[in-house]
Amino acid sequence: MQKIINQKAQAKRRKEAFQSTIISSVMLLLASLTKLGLRWYYQMDDFWGALLLIFAILELAMLIPIWILLKTRLKEIEGGEEDVATQY
């Protein structure tokens, strides 16, 4: 079976994948920095400060799967799975 690959559509999907990843990363980074900033500003060293720290670290850790998913998504786009799927 011959694969019909639409280069223009692939470029658009690639661009959208990068934009989505960057926006998600920036939002998580801002949320994490806000939590760390609040913890520092209010000098929270008690239970709530520890909770803010844990949530901030978890949000920073979520950056790793986002970029791994981008890599997977780019492989799918390069493989042309969506181009083949649009034929059905």
Side-chain angles (χ1 to χ4, degrees), residues 2-6 80 83-84 86-87:
Q2 180 183 355
K3 285 188 180 180
I4 298 173
I5 298 176
N6 186 344
D83 292 324
V84 172
T86 58
Q87 295 174 6

Side-chain angles (χ1 to χ4, degrees), residues 1-80:
M1 182 175 161
Q2 180 183 355
K3 285 188 180 180
I4 298 173
I5 298 176
N6 186 344
Q7 298 294 334
K8 196 174 189 181
Q10 278 190 348
K12 182 182 178 199
R13 285 199 247 351
R14 212 174 300 119
K15 180 182 174 185
E16 289 172 352
F18 273 113
Q19 287 175 344
S20 175
T21 301
I22 290 171
I23 290 170
S24 298
S25 297
V26 168
M27 294 299 288
L28 282 173
L29 189 61
L30 286 175
S32 180
L33 291 176
T34 300
K35 286 176 181 61
L36 291 173
L38 287 171
R39 184 178 185 271
W40 173 79
Y41 182 78
Y42 290 109
Q43 300 175 355
M44 301 173 86
D45 294 327
D46 56 354
F47 170 77
W48 297 110
L51 201 59
L52 277 175
L53 181 63
I54 290 169
F55 286 147
I57 291 171
L58 286 174
E59 285 180 346
L60 287 175
M62 286 303 298
L63 292 173
I64 297 167
I66 287 174
W67 287 91
I68 291 171
L69 287 172
L70 172 65
K71 184 178 176 183
T72 304
R73 176 85 173 110
L74 291 176
K75 283 182 183 177
E76 288 174 359
I77 292 170
E78 294 294 325

